[in-house]
Amino acid sequence: MEEYLGGPPHAHLLLGPLENLAAVEETVVRDKATESINKIAAVLDTNQIETHYVPLLKRLSTGEWFTSRTSAAALYASVYPKASPSTQDEMRKLYTALSSDDTPMVRRAAARHLATFVPTLSKENVLSDTLPIYRKLSTDDQDSVRLLTVDDLIAIAGKLTPAEVNEQLRASLRSSVSDKSWRVRYMVADHFVKLAEAVGQVLVNEELVGSFVALLKDNEAEVRSAAAGQLPGFAKLLERDVILARILPCVRDLSSDNSQHVRAALGMHISGLAPLLGREATIENLLPLFLQLLKDDFPDVRLNIISKLETVNQVIGIDLLSQSLLPAIVELAEDKQWRVRQAIIEYIPLLAKQLGVAFFDEQLGNLCMSWLGDNVYSIRESATVNLRKLTEVFGVDWAKQTIVPKVLQMGTHPNYLYRMTTVFAITVSAMLGHYSSTGVVDTAVSKALAPSLTPPVIQENVLATVLALVQDPIPNIRFNVAKCLEVLAISLAATPEGKEVAKTKVVPALQQLKADPDPDPKVVK
């Protein structure tokens, strides 16, 4: 709003109302007020900061109610670089007082915002002022305060040399990893890669490998899950031999962990170890774990493994991957959990590209067509998209010879879902060239078979199948047939021969549907 007050020279006038809002009881209001105060601080000059902002900061920092002191902790980082040296000294003392406040909520705020305050300080000030603040907060009797100091540790480490980190922070780091509160250990595990990058390689090798192993073996499943999520990132900082000797045994234990959430987290990230270990070590150590997790009872575990197989493929090659994992993938293609089946479908085009057309047609071709009749609509929809992607991989000629005949054959299937899928596939393919810019076509399936449905193909192969479905006993199919015929007529009109076919075959069929006893097919004119 400063522009309505005359611009930045008058922006400080907004600080008064925001100061009141920063002291109210509602947390959301206080957070928005401090956010606005920080935005205003960005346009204030040095004189305005000294005259108006710093007094506000002092009042909030020493306010009677804890709400004002809580808000004050968020207001230091934005103006500290602009303040005079004497004011900076006073600001550091005020922040130190906040970190020692009797109210836990104020100490939490001090711990939360210390990480953003530290980058604005010089190394000397970090060593003299911030380190004592951090040590006090990291040993607070409230775990809700201690868990917020993990970010502070990372920020402080970023300001120090590796030797200084080793001297000043090693004991604190060790205490955080072994903290009695699982919530603190969870925060350490969740930020472990950032922590490792901040403290330097020497401390990683000497201290953090053992700490990471301890977190992977933690008594709490939440901590083990968080640590499993850091596996690839932390492993990048280690030598291959260290990964094999120290990390991999823990990974094996996690693959059979009692908690399904731990196994799911491992399934999401274990593939990231493959590029680090290399082909032979991946085959020997990781491939058995992939197979084990692919057969896990919990669907999210299987889903996560499947979604990350591309990384493994780049390391060991598709031949070995298909030989070892293809049977398990085929088994999962019929999994009772539809999300698992959908994940398999999404992986098929990549697998097909690597396997080649002959191997694909022999091993996976029928499987892909069977999904078109799945009981779950999302699976049928994904299966249609899958056909489009396969056409991009193998070419239009392959689609004409392989996909189109099978799709048309489903038009006579006893199960109405297969017949409906045939109509959908034909409709959206033909519509692609005419309605894709209008939003009429569902984007998920709009390109299913479009490259292969040219007017000659429609006349020779497709039209007869659609016309036969005009008499289908299911009204919903007849309704969609009416829409399909309308689209086919537009496609056929692209050639003189097609126009004649539309006039002699399509129009009479639409007239017949117009007189349909069910009201739905009559909707399509």
Side-chain angles (χ1 to χ4, degrees):
M1 291 180 61
E2 72 271 7
E3 60 181 281
Y4 300 107
L5 300 177
H10 304 281
H12 63 273
L13 296 175
L14 293 170
L15 294 177
L18 290 173
E19 180 180 355
N20 294 331
L21 292 174
V24 301
E25 186 175 353
E26 292 83 359
T27 303
V28 175
V29 176
R30 295 201 309 270
D31 290 344
K32 285 295 182 181
T34 56
E35 180 182 340
S36 297
I37 291 175
N38 282 322
K39 289 181 179 178
I40 292 172
V43 301
L44 298 180
D45 58 31
T46 303
N47 182 59
Q48 288 173 306
I49 288 174
E50 295 287 344
T51 306
H52 302 285
Y53 191 100
V54 173
L56 173 149
L57 186 60
K58 292 178 181 178
R59 290 192 296 270
L60 289 176
S61 298
T62 58
E64 181 179 358
W65 292 97
F66 79 90
T67 53
S68 65
R69 301 196 301 276
T70 301
S71 296
L75 303 179
Y76 283 78
S78 59
V79 297
Y80 184 85
K82 296 182 178 181
S84 64
S86 60
T87 301
Q88 289 180 344
D89 292 339
E90 190 173 4
M91 289 176 67
R92 294 196 302 275
K93 292 176 182 178
L94 287 171
Y95 203 95
T96 300
L98 292 176
S99 67
S100 303
D101 197 275
D102 293 335
T103 307
M105 286 77 80
V106 178
R107 300 199 302 275
R108 279 204 297 270
R112 178 181 296 110
H113 297 289
L114 183 60
T116 57
F117 190 29
V118 167
T120 66
L121 303 174
S122 66
K123 181 191 290 190
E124 292 74 17
N125 293 144
V126 170
L127 290 170
S128 62
D129 297 316
T130 308
L131 266 176
I133 294 176
Y134 163 73
R135 290 192 179 114
K136 184 174 181 60
L137 293 173
S138 65
T139 56
D140 195 276
D141 58 355
Q142 298 283 328
D143 65 349
S144 61
V145 176
R146 298 198 305 275
L147 66 87
L148 294 171
T149 62
V150 175
D151 283 328
D152 302 339
L153 175 59
I154 296 171
I156 293 172
K159 297 287 288 189
L160 305 179
T161 64
E164 291 169 334
V165 169
N166 186 46
E167 178 184 353
Q168 302 289 344
L169 298 178
R170 187 167 191 160
S172 299
L173 176 58
R174 190 176 297 167
S175 298
S176 297
V177 172
S178 59
D179 194 279
K180 61 183 179 180
S181 170
W182 72 266
R183 297 203 299 164
V184 177
R185 301 196 304 275
Y186 171 85
M187 288 296 291
V188 174
D190 194 49
H191 293 70
F192 206 83
V193 174
K194 292 181 180 179
L195 193 59
E197 292 172 344
V199 301
Q201 192 63 44
V202 174
L203 203 56
V204 166
N205 296 334
E206 295 180 358
E207 186 73 30
L208 291 195
V209 173
S211 298
F212 192 63
V213 169
L215 293 171
L216 291 172
K217 295 181 177 181
D218 196 272
N219 293 330
E220 296 294 333
E222 288 84 354
V223 178
R224 299 196 300 276
S225 296
Q230 302 289 300
L231 270 170
F234 183 62
K236 290 180 181 178
L237 304 176
L238 305 178
E239 296 291 335
R240 181 173 173 275
D241 292 341
V242 176
I243 299 174
L244 291 171
R246 302 291 302 278
I247 305 300
L248 206 55
C250 298
V251 172
R252 293 193 186 97
D253 292 340
L254 293 179
S255 67
S256 56
D257 195 277
N258 292 331
S259 171
Q260 61 191 27
H261 302 293
V262 174
R263 301 195 305 274
L266 179 65
M268 178 63 71
H269 298 284
I270 188 175
S271 60
L273 296 176
L276 305 175
L277 295 179
R279 188 174 190 274
E280 297 303 324
T282 296
I283 294 171
E284 180 181 352
N285 298 287
L286 295 184
L287 206 54
L289 300 181
F290 294 147
L291 287 170
Q292 178 180 336
L293 294 171
L294 274 174
K295 298 177 182 179
D296 196 277
D297 294 334
F298 189 49
D300 283 2
V301 179
R302 306 192 295 268
L303 183 66
N304 291 345
I305 279 289
I306 293 165
S307 64
K308 299 294 183 178
L309 282 180
E310 181 178 1
T311 305
V312 184
N313 170 52
Q314 294 173 354
V315 176
I316 68 174
I318 193 63
D319 292 337
L320 184 58
L321 184 66
S322 62
Q323 292 172 14
S324 56
L325 299 184
L326 190 59
I329 291 174
V330 172
E331 181 180 345
L332 290 175
E334 300 175 353
D335 194 276
K336 62 182 178 180
Q337 296 289 337
W338 70 268
R339 292 186 185 276
V340 176
R341 301 198 299 275
Q342 188 173 43
I344 289 289
I345 293 174
E346 293 172 354
Y347 181 69
I348 287 296
L350 173 66
L351 200 61
K353 185 176 182 180
Q354 305 297 328
L355 291 173
V357 63
F359 186 91
F360 176 84
D361 287 343
E362 179 182 352
Q363 299 289 337
L364 298 174
N366 291 333
L367 182 64
C368 290
M369 302 307 298
S370 69
W371 285 320
L372 293 170
D374 196 278
N375 291 329
V376 178
Y377 173 75
S378 295
I379 297 298
R380 300 195 300 273
E381 186 179 43
S382 296
T384 310
V385 175
N386 179 52
L387 294 183
R388 184 258 299 174
K389 292 181 178 178
L390 290 174
T391 299
E392 294 175 355
V393 173
F394 294 140
V396 174
D397 291 338
W398 172 84
K400 290 180 180 178
Q401 298 173 9
T402 306
I403 294 181
V404 173
K406 291 182 178 179
V407 170
L408 297 179
Q409 187 178 3
M410 289 191 304
T412 59
H413 198 281
N415 188 330
Y416 84 97
L417 292 176
Y418 286 88
R419 303 198 300 276
M420 182 69 79
T421 300
T422 296
V423 177
F424 280 157
I426 294 173
T427 303
V428 297
S429 301
M431 288 175 76
L432 179 63
H434 303 282
Y435 297 108
S436 59
S437 63
T438 66
V440 176
V441 187
D442 185 346
T443 56
V445 295
S446 62
K447 296 183 179 179
L449 301 175
S452 56
L453 282 191
T454 59
V457 173
I458 293 175
Q459 297 177 47
E460 298 171 9
N461 305 104
V462 174
L463 189 58
T465 299
V466 178
L467 292 175
L469 293 172
V470 170
Q471 306 291 338
D472 196 277
I474 304 298
N476 194 27
I477 290 182
R478 299 198 301 275
F479 170 69
N480 282 282
V481 165
K483 294 193 294 183
C484 181
L485 287 173
E486 178 187 15
V487 174
L488 290 181
I490 296 174
S491 297
L492 289 169
T495 63
E497 298 83 359
K499 286 184 179 180
E500 184 63 26
V501 171
K503 182 177 180 180
T504 58
K505 295 185 178 181
V506 176
V507 173
L510 288 172
Q511 292 291 342
Q512 180 180 344
L513 289 169
K514 188 176 181 180
D516 195 279
D518 192 276
D520 287 341
K522 296 178 183 179
V523 174
V524 182
K525 300 295 184 181

